[in-house]
Amino acid sequence: VLSYGRLVARAVLGGLSQTDSRDYSLVTASCGFGKDFRKGILKKGMCYGDDACFVARHRSADVLGKCWRGPAFSGTLMRTCERLVKEGRFVPSNPVGILTAGYCELLQNKVPLLGSSTACIVVLDRTSHRLHTANLGDSGFLVVRGGEVVHRSDEQQHYFNTPFQLSIAPPEAEGVVLSDSPDAADSTSFDVQLGDIILTATDGLFDNMPDYMILQELKKLKNSNYESIQQTARSIAEQAHELAYDPTYMSPFAQFACDNGLNVRGGKPDDITVLLSIVAEYTD
């Protein structure tokens, strides 16, 4: 009995000792291109072309957001979500709530901000080490561990090249323009580990680079220093931008088009936004 008791005590204490009590955070760098900008990076605030994104830190969580389609609509939506996070008006386990609150503020503007946008919100809860996500449309994210994709978002399309999206339409177009609810976003929760890589991007990346190309670029990451992450994010964005204008390249978008009965070849010129993050130990 004594021997059995010792074994049980060791197992319990061993399990407790393996629990990671450290807080986690994301070290994040961004890079991107507007589709009409051929020779270099064009960035206005946190916008690349019609894409918009934000990176916000709060004592309880790190939050990433991005959306596309219409700089005024998408940019205002992301700035509103960023402000809500910085003010602490969110629950880390409910990224849909951030998106809903931001969208509702746009709907309540005295002067309607017309436009539409896909959206993706990624939240790392520092204490629980869980990644909570909400993805509406065809932007998305990958979680890479040990050189392999261990988790990814699901793309949401009504039909080919028509993603789910938030929108505010003029009165004459109401009921005609597609408009999805934030609640329609695909929501997931996932445990992360120190050193995990999180790549969050708009469809301009995923339409032009398959996973294996992205993973090849991520192998160039030397460490979790911001400079290394920034360099890799830039390398990924540049490669996607170059492939987007290659008329002979069989891009993921072209393959998807062929699967839908269309004779398409080449890259897809589009705005490209890349947010590249590494899970690290939190330092205030």
Side-chain angles (χ1 to χ4, degrees), residues 10-41:
R10 287 173 184 168
V12 172
L13 291 173
L16 290 174
S17 66
Q18 292 175 9
T19 301
D20 192 344
S21 61
R22 295 172 292 180
D23 284 354
Y24 287 3
S25 68
L26 296 178
V27 183
T28 302
S30 70
C31 191
F33 292 89
K35 63 183 175 183
D36 297 324
F37 193 73
R38 297 293 190 91
K39 297 182 179 180
I41 295 173

PDB file of all heavy atoms in Angstrom, residues 10-41:
ATOM      1  N   ARG A  10       3.940  10.393  -6.858  1.00  0.00           N
ATOM      2  CA  ARG A  10       4.928  10.805  -7.851  1.00  0.00           C
ATOM      3  C   ARG A  10       4.260  11.165  -9.168  1.00  0.00           C
ATOM      4  O   ARG A  10       4.633  12.132  -9.837  1.00  0.00           O
ATOM      5  CB  ARG A  10       5.942   9.680  -8.069  1.00  0.00           C
ATOM      6  CG  ARG A  10       6.919   9.499  -6.911  1.00  0.00           C
ATOM      7  CD  ARG A  10       7.760   8.266  -7.118  1.00  0.00           C
ATOM      8  NE  ARG A  10       8.629   8.013  -5.985  1.00  0.00           N
ATOM      9  CZ  ARG A  10       9.300   6.879  -5.810  1.00  0.00           C
ATOM     10  NH1 ARG A  10       9.179   5.891  -6.704  1.00  0.00           N
ATOM     11  NH2 ARG A  10      10.084   6.718  -4.753  1.00  0.00           N
ATOM     12  N   ALA A  11       3.265  10.364  -9.559  1.00  0.00           N
ATOM     13  CA  ALA A  11       2.567  10.639 -10.820  1.00  0.00           C
ATOM     14  C   ALA A  11       1.853  11.969 -10.772  1.00  0.00           C
ATOM     15  O   ALA A  11       1.894  12.767 -11.716  1.00  0.00           O
ATOM     16  CB  ALA A  11       1.567   9.512 -11.113  1.00  0.00           C
ATOM     17  N   VAL A  12       1.181  12.239  -9.638  1.00  0.00           N
ATOM     18  CA  VAL A  12       0.459  13.504  -9.510  1.00  0.00           C
ATOM     19  C   VAL A  12       1.412  14.678  -9.503  1.00  0.00           C
ATOM     20  O   VAL A  12       1.231  15.674 -10.210  1.00  0.00           O
ATOM     21  CB  VAL A  12      -0.409  13.505  -8.225  1.00  0.00           C
ATOM     22  CG1 VAL A  12      -0.991  14.897  -7.993  1.00  0.00           C
ATOM     23  CG2 VAL A  12      -1.511  12.472  -8.329  1.00  0.00           C
ATOM     24  N   LEU A  13       2.465  14.571  -8.692  1.00  0.00           N
ATOM     25  CA  LEU A  13       3.432  15.657  -8.609  1.00  0.00           C
ATOM     26  C   LEU A  13       4.156  15.847  -9.933  1.00  0.00           C
ATOM     27  O   LEU A  13       4.446  16.971 -10.344  1.00  0.00           O
ATOM     28  CB  LEU A  13       4.437  15.385  -7.490  1.00  0.00           C
ATOM     29  CG  LEU A  13       3.860  15.468  -6.059  1.00  0.00           C
ATOM     30  CD1 LEU A  13       4.908  15.021  -5.048  1.00  0.00           C
ATOM     31  CD2 LEU A  13       3.393  16.894  -5.756  1.00  0.00           C
ATOM     32  N   GLY A  14       4.430  14.740 -10.616  1.00  0.00           N
ATOM     33  CA  GLY A  14       5.086  14.832 -11.923  1.00  0.00           C
ATOM     34  C   GLY A  14       4.223  15.550 -12.926  1.00  0.00           C
ATOM     35  O   GLY A  14       4.692  16.382 -13.706  1.00  0.00           O
ATOM     36  N   GLY A  15       2.923  15.243 -12.904  1.00  0.00           N
ATOM     37  CA  GLY A  15       2.002  15.925 -13.814  1.00  0.00           C
ATOM     38  C   GLY A  15       1.928  17.396 -13.530  1.00  0.00           C
ATOM     39  O   GLY A  15       1.917  18.236 -14.434  1.00  0.00           O
ATOM     40  N   LEU A  16       1.908  17.760 -12.253  1.00  0.00           N
ATOM     41  CA  LEU A  16       1.842  19.166 -11.893  1.00  0.00           C
ATOM     42  C   LEU A  16       3.110  19.899 -12.303  1.00  0.00           C
ATOM     43  O   LEU A  16       3.067  21.040 -12.751  1.00  0.00           O
ATOM     44  CB  LEU A  16       1.618  19.313 -10.381  1.00  0.00           C
ATOM     45  CG  LEU A  16       0.243  18.889  -9.858  1.00  0.00           C
ATOM     46  CD1 LEU A  16       0.232  18.949  -8.336  1.00  0.00           C
ATOM     47  CD2 LEU A  16      -0.854  19.765 -10.436  1.00  0.00           C
ATOM     48  N   SER A  17       4.241  19.210 -12.163  1.00  0.00           N
ATOM     49  CA  SER A  17       5.507  19.865 -12.478  1.00  0.00           C
ATOM     50  C   SER A  17       5.635  20.121 -13.969  1.00  0.00           C
ATOM     51  O   SER A  17       6.377  21.007 -14.398  1.00  0.00           O
ATOM     52  CB  SER A  17       6.693  19.021 -11.990  1.00  0.00           C
ATOM     53  OG  SER A  17       6.760  17.802 -12.707  1.00  0.00           O
ATOM     54  N   GLN A  18       4.903  19.324 -14.800  1.00  0.00           N
ATOM     55  CA  GLN A  18       4.997  19.499 -16.238  1.00  0.00           C
ATOM     56  C   GLN A  18       4.066  20.598 -16.741  1.00  0.00           C
ATOM     57  O   GLN A  18       4.123  20.985 -17.893  1.00  0.00           O
ATOM     58  CB  GLN A  18       4.663  18.181 -16.930  1.00  0.00           C
ATOM     59  CG  GLN A  18       5.713  17.102 -16.676  1.00  0.00           C
ATOM     60  CD  GLN A  18       5.307  15.762 -17.258  1.00  0.00           C
ATOM     61  OE1 GLN A  18       4.330  15.664 -17.994  1.00  0.00           O
ATOM     62  NE2 GLN A  18       6.048  14.728 -16.936  1.00  0.00           N
ATOM     63  N   THR A  19       3.168  21.106 -15.883  1.00  0.00           N
ATOM     64  CA  THR A  19       2.266  22.167 -16.286  1.00  0.00           C
ATOM     65  C   THR A  19       3.054  23.459 -16.471  1.00  0.00           C
ATOM     66  O   THR A  19       3.775  23.889 -15.589  1.00  0.00           O
ATOM     67  CB  THR A  19       1.166  22.378 -15.231  1.00  0.00           C
ATOM     68  OG1 THR A  19       0.437  21.165 -15.069  1.00  0.00           O
ATOM     69  CG2 THR A  19       0.220  23.480 -15.681  1.00  0.00           C
ATOM     70  N   ASP A  20       2.920  24.071 -17.661  1.00  0.00           N
ATOM     71  CA  ASP A  20       3.657  25.293 -17.969  1.00  0.00           C
ATOM     72  C   ASP A  20       2.887  26.479 -17.415  1.00  0.00           C
ATOM     73  O   ASP A  20       1.813  26.820 -17.900  1.00  0.00           O
ATOM     74  CB  ASP A  20       3.818  25.412 -19.480  1.00  0.00           C
ATOM     75  CG  ASP A  20       4.813  26.501 -19.861  1.00  0.00           C
ATOM     76  OD1 ASP A  20       5.138  27.338 -19.000  1.00  0.00           O
ATOM     77  OD2 ASP A  20       5.260  26.513 -21.019  1.00  0.00           O
ATOM     78  N   SER A  21       3.427  27.104 -16.386  1.00  0.00           N
ATOM     79  CA  SER A  21       2.743  28.228 -15.742  1.00  0.00           C
ATOM     80  C   SER A  21       3.136  29.571 -16.353  1.00  0.00           C
ATOM     81  O   SER A  21       2.645  30.614 -15.933  1.00  0.00           O
ATOM     82  CB  SER A  21       3.054  28.241 -14.239  1.00  0.00           C
ATOM     83  OG  SER A  21       4.445  28.389 -14.028  1.00  0.00           O
ATOM     84  N   ARG A  22       4.005  29.544 -17.346  1.00  0.00           N
ATOM     85  CA  ARG A  22       4.437  30.790 -17.970  1.00  0.00           C
ATOM     86  C   ARG A  22       3.340  31.354 -18.876  1.00  0.00           C
ATOM     87  O   ARG A  22       2.567  30.603 -19.463  1.00  0.00           O
ATOM     88  CB  ARG A  22       5.706  30.558 -18.795  1.00  0.00           C
ATOM     89  CG  ARG A  22       6.924  30.155 -17.988  1.00  0.00           C
ATOM     90  CD  ARG A  22       8.074  29.754 -18.885  1.00  0.00           C
ATOM     91  NE  ARG A  22       7.782  28.507 -19.605  1.00  0.00           N
ATOM     92  CZ  ARG A  22       8.627  27.923 -20.459  1.00  0.00           C
ATOM     93  NH1 ARG A  22       9.788  28.501 -20.706  1.00  0.00           N
ATOM     94  NH2 ARG A  22       8.297  26.791 -21.044  1.00  0.00           N
ATOM     95  N   ASP A  23       3.295  32.675 -18.987  1.00  0.00           N
ATOM     96  CA  ASP A  23       2.394  33.301 -19.946  1.00  0.00           C
ATOM     97  C   ASP A  23       3.063  33.322 -21.317  1.00  0.00           C
ATOM     98  O   ASP A  23       4.284  33.467 -21.425  1.00  0.00           O
ATOM     99  CB  ASP A  23       2.066  34.733 -19.516  1.00  0.00           C
ATOM    100  CG  ASP A  23       1.063  34.771 -18.371  1.00  0.00           C
ATOM    101  OD1 ASP A  23       0.548  33.698 -17.994  1.00  0.00           O
ATOM    102  OD2 ASP A  23       0.814  35.868 -17.834  1.00  0.00           O
ATOM    103  N   TYR A  24       2.240  33.204 -22.360  1.00  0.00           N
ATOM    104  CA  TYR A  24       2.744  33.212 -23.729  1.00  0.00           C
ATOM    105  C   TYR A  24       2.403  34.546 -24.402  1.00  0.00           C
ATOM    106  O   TYR A  24       1.507  35.270 -23.981  1.00  0.00           O
ATOM    107  CB  TYR A  24       2.124  32.083 -24.546  1.00  0.00           C
ATOM    108  CG  TYR A  24       2.626  30.690 -24.233  1.00  0.00           C
ATOM    109  CD1 TYR A  24       3.552  30.456 -23.215  1.00  0.00           C
ATOM    110  CD2 TYR A  24       2.164  29.595 -24.957  1.00  0.00           C
ATOM    111  CE1 TYR A  24       3.999  29.182 -22.937  1.00  0.00           C
ATOM    112  CE2 TYR A  24       2.598  28.319 -24.691  1.00  0.00           C
ATOM    113  CZ  TYR A  24       3.517  28.106 -23.682  1.00  0.00           C
ATOM    114  OH  TYR A  24       3.948  26.836 -23.415  1.00  0.00           O
ATOM    115  N   SER A  25       3.111  34.830 -25.463  1.00  0.00           N
ATOM    116  CA  SER A  25       2.805  36.005 -26.278  1.00  0.00           C
ATOM    117  C   SER A  25       3.185  35.712 -27.723  1.00  0.00           C
ATOM    118  O   SER A  25       3.798  34.686 -28.022  1.00  0.00           O
ATOM    119  CB  SER A  25       3.561  37.238 -25.777  1.00  0.00           C
ATOM    120  OG  SER A  25       4.949  37.093 -25.991  1.00  0.00           O
ATOM    121  N   LEU A  26       2.819  36.629 -28.608  1.00  0.00           N
ATOM    122  CA  LEU A  26       3.160  36.499 -30.025  1.00  0.00           C
ATOM    123  C   LEU A  26       4.151  37.594 -30.413  1.00  0.00           C
ATOM    124  O   LEU A  26       3.936  38.768 -30.115  1.00  0.00           O
ATOM    125  CB  LEU A  26       1.907  36.634 -30.903  1.00  0.00           C
ATOM    126  CG  LEU A  26       0.827  35.562 -30.747  1.00  0.00           C
ATOM    127  CD1 LEU A  26      -0.361  35.885 -31.647  1.00  0.00           C
ATOM    128  CD2 LEU A  26       1.379  34.180 -31.058  1.00  0.00           C
ATOM    129  N   VAL A  27       5.236  37.183 -31.046  1.00  0.00           N
ATOM    130  CA  VAL A  27       6.152  38.133 -31.671  1.00  0.00           C
ATOM    131  C   VAL A  27       5.749  38.172 -33.141  1.00  0.00           C
ATOM    132  O   VAL A  27       5.864  37.170 -33.847  1.00  0.00           O
ATOM    133  CB  VAL A  27       7.616  37.702 -31.518  1.00  0.00           C
ATOM    134  CG1 VAL A  27       8.549  38.762 -32.126  1.00  0.00           C
ATOM    135  CG2 VAL A  27       7.961  37.455 -30.055  1.00  0.00           C
ATOM    136  N   THR A  28       5.272  39.322 -33.604  1.00  0.00           N
ATOM    137  CA  THR A  28       4.622  39.406 -34.911  1.00  0.00           C
ATOM    138  C   THR A  28       5.237  40.481 -35.785  1.00  0.00           C
ATOM    139  O   THR A  28       5.544  41.578 -35.324  1.00  0.00           O
ATOM    140  CB  THR A  28       3.113  39.709 -34.743  1.00  0.00           C
ATOM    141  OG1 THR A  28       2.516  38.690 -33.937  1.00  0.00           O
ATOM    142  CG2 THR A  28       2.406  39.765 -36.092  1.00  0.00           C
ATOM    143  N   ALA A  29       5.402  40.157 -37.061  1.00  0.00           N
ATOM    144  CA  ALA A  29       5.831  41.124 -38.073  1.00  0.00           C
ATOM    145  C   ALA A  29       4.857  41.053 -39.239  1.00  0.00           C
ATOM    146  O   ALA A  29       4.252  40.009 -39.498  1.00  0.00           O
ATOM    147  CB  ALA A  29       7.249  40.827 -38.543  1.00  0.00           C
ATOM    148  N   SER A  30       4.695  42.168 -39.942  1.00  0.00           N
ATOM    149  CA  SER A  30       3.784  42.204 -41.082  1.00  0.00           C
ATOM    150  C   SER A  30       4.509  42.654 -42.340  1.00  0.00           C
ATOM    151  O   SER A  30       5.526  43.352 -42.289  1.00  0.00           O
ATOM    152  CB  SER A  30       2.605  43.154 -40.807  1.00  0.00           C
ATOM    153  OG  SER A  30       3.049  44.499 -40.787  1.00  0.00           O
ATOM    154  N   CYS A  31       3.969  42.233 -43.472  1.00  0.00           N
ATOM    155  CA  CYS A  31       4.494  42.669 -44.764  1.00  0.00           C
ATOM    156  C   CYS A  31       3.399  42.468 -45.808  1.00  0.00           C
ATOM    157  O   CYS A  31       2.516  41.621 -45.626  1.00  0.00           O
ATOM    158  CB  CYS A  31       5.742  41.878 -45.149  1.00  0.00           C
ATOM    159  SG  CYS A  31       6.619  42.571 -46.579  1.00  0.00           S
ATOM    160  N   GLY A  32       3.450  43.233 -46.886  1.00  0.00           N
ATOM    161  CA  GLY A  32       2.441  43.051 -47.910  1.00  0.00           C
ATOM    162  C   GLY A  32       2.636  43.963 -49.102  1.00  0.00           C
ATOM    163  O   GLY A  32       3.545  44.797 -49.135  1.00  0.00           O
ATOM    164  N   PHE A  33       1.772  43.771 -50.088  1.00  0.00           N
ATOM    165  CA  PHE A  33       1.796  44.548 -51.320  1.00  0.00           C
ATOM    166  C   PHE A  33       0.372  44.880 -51.736  1.00  0.00           C
ATOM    167  O   PHE A  33      -0.532  44.055 -51.601  1.00  0.00           O
ATOM    168  CB  PHE A  33       2.438  43.754 -52.467  1.00  0.00           C
ATOM    169  CG  PHE A  33       3.904  43.507 -52.314  1.00  0.00           C
ATOM    170  CD1 PHE A  33       4.368  42.389 -51.648  1.00  0.00           C
ATOM    171  CD2 PHE A  33       4.828  44.383 -52.863  1.00  0.00           C
ATOM    172  CE1 PHE A  33       5.725  42.144 -51.519  1.00  0.00           C
ATOM    173  CE2 PHE A  33       6.187  44.142 -52.734  1.00  0.00           C
ATOM    174  CZ  PHE A  33       6.638  43.029 -52.061  1.00  0.00           C
ATOM    175  N   GLY A  34       0.176  46.064 -52.301  1.00  0.00           N
ATOM    176  CA  GLY A  34      -1.045  46.360 -53.015  1.00  0.00           C
ATOM    177  C   GLY A  34      -0.916  45.808 -54.423  1.00  0.00           C
ATOM    178  O   GLY A  34       0.173  45.797 -55.000  1.00  0.00           O
ATOM    179  N   LYS A  35      -2.000  45.323 -54.991  1.00  0.00           N
ATOM    180  CA  LYS A  35      -1.915  44.653 -56.295  1.00  0.00           C
ATOM    181  C   LYS A  35      -1.493  45.598 -57.418  1.00  0.00           C
ATOM    182  O   LYS A  35      -1.005  45.143 -58.455  1.00  0.00           O
ATOM    183  CB  LYS A  35      -3.242  44.003 -56.642  1.00  0.00           C
ATOM    184  CG  LYS A  35      -4.407  44.956 -56.816  1.00  0.00           C
ATOM    185  CD  LYS A  35      -5.679  44.183 -57.076  1.00  0.00           C
ATOM    186  CE  LYS A  35      -6.890  45.103 -57.130  1.00  0.00           C
ATOM    187  NZ  LYS A  35      -8.149  44.326 -57.307  1.00  0.00           N
ATOM    188  N   ASP A  36      -1.655  46.900 -57.236  1.00  0.00           N
ATOM    189  CA  ASP A  36      -1.271  47.858 -58.265  1.00  0.00           C
ATOM    190  C   ASP A  36       0.127  48.412 -58.052  1.00  0.00           C
ATOM    191  O   ASP A  36       0.556  49.328 -58.745  1.00  0.00           O
ATOM    192  CB  ASP A  36      -2.270  49.020 -58.313  1.00  0.00           C
ATOM    193  CG  ASP A  36      -3.662  48.551 -58.695  1.00  0.00           C
ATOM    194  OD1 ASP A  36      -3.754  47.626 -59.530  1.00  0.00           O
ATOM    195  OD2 ASP A  36      -4.642  49.092 -58.154  1.00  0.00           O
ATOM    196  N   PHE A  37       0.837  47.832 -57.090  1.00  0.00           N
ATOM    197  CA  PHE A  37       2.173  48.340 -56.769  1.00  0.00           C
ATOM    198  C   PHE A  37       3.184  47.255 -57.094  1.00  0.00           C
ATOM    199  O   PHE A  37       3.296  46.258 -56.398  1.00  0.00           O
ATOM    200  CB  PHE A  37       2.245  48.713 -55.287  1.00  0.00           C
ATOM    201  CG  PHE A  37       3.466  49.535 -54.939  1.00  0.00           C
ATOM    202  CD1 PHE A  37       3.548  50.862 -55.314  1.00  0.00           C
ATOM    203  CD2 PHE A  37       4.509  48.975 -54.226  1.00  0.00           C
ATOM    204  CE1 PHE A  37       4.656  51.622 -54.987  1.00  0.00           C
ATOM    205  CE2 PHE A  37       5.623  49.731 -53.895  1.00  0.00           C
ATOM    206  CZ  PHE A  37       5.699  51.060 -54.277  1.00  0.00           C
ATOM    207  N   ARG A  38       3.896  47.412 -58.219  1.00  0.00           N
ATOM    208  CA  ARG A  38       4.728  46.340 -58.756  1.00  0.00           C
ATOM    209  C   ARG A  38       6.157  46.288 -58.205  1.00  0.00           C
ATOM    210  O   ARG A  38       6.766  45.246 -58.163  1.00  0.00           O
ATOM    211  CB  ARG A  38       4.817  46.470 -60.279  1.00  0.00           C
ATOM    212  CG  ARG A  38       3.483  46.313 -60.995  1.00  0.00           C
ATOM    213  CD  ARG A  38       2.954  44.873 -60.854  1.00  0.00           C
ATOM    214  NE  ARG A  38       1.810  44.651 -61.711  1.00  0.00           N
ATOM    215  CZ  ARG A  38       1.867  44.199 -62.938  1.00  0.00           C
ATOM    216  NH1 ARG A  38       3.038  43.944 -63.498  1.00  0.00           N
ATOM    217  NH2 ARG A  38       0.776  43.996 -63.641  1.00  0.00           N
ATOM    218  N   LYS A  39       6.704  47.418 -57.795  1.00  0.00           N
ATOM    219  CA  LYS A  39       8.137  47.459 -57.550  1.00  0.00           C
ATOM    220  C   LYS A  39       8.541  47.392 -56.086  1.00  0.00           C
ATOM    221  O   LYS A  39       9.712  47.298 -55.783  1.00  0.00           O
ATOM    222  CB  LYS A  39       8.739  48.727 -58.179  1.00  0.00           C
ATOM    223  CG  LYS A  39       8.604  48.756 -59.699  1.00  0.00           C
ATOM    224  CD  LYS A  39       9.246  50.002 -60.277  1.00  0.00           C
ATOM    225  CE  LYS A  39       9.129  50.022 -61.786  1.00  0.00           C
ATOM    226  NZ  LYS A  39       9.737  51.230 -62.380  1.00  0.00           N
ATOM    227  N   GLY A  40       7.610  47.428 -55.184  1.00  0.00           N
ATOM    228  CA  GLY A  40       8.006  47.388 -53.781  1.00  0.00           C
ATOM    229  C   GLY A  40       6.807  47.356 -52.872  1.00  0.00           C
ATOM    230  O   GLY A  40       5.673  47.201 -53.304  1.00  0.00           O
ATOM    231  N   ILE A  41       7.058  47.530 -51.606  1.00  0.00           N
ATOM    232  CA  ILE A  41       6.002  47.445 -50.606  1.00  0.00           C
ATOM    233  C   ILE A  41       5.332  48.804 -50.461  1.00  0.00           C
ATOM    234  O   ILE A  41       5.996  49.820 -50.294  1.00  0.00           O
ATOM    235  CB  ILE A  41       6.578  46.982 -49.259  1.00  0.00           C
ATOM    236  CG1 ILE A  41       7.118  45.555 -49.402  1.00  0.00           C
ATOM    237  CG2 ILE A  41       5.535  47.039 -48.159  1.00  0.00           C
ATOM    238  CD1 ILE A  41       7.850  45.056 -48.189  1.00  0.00           C
TER     239      ILE A  41
END
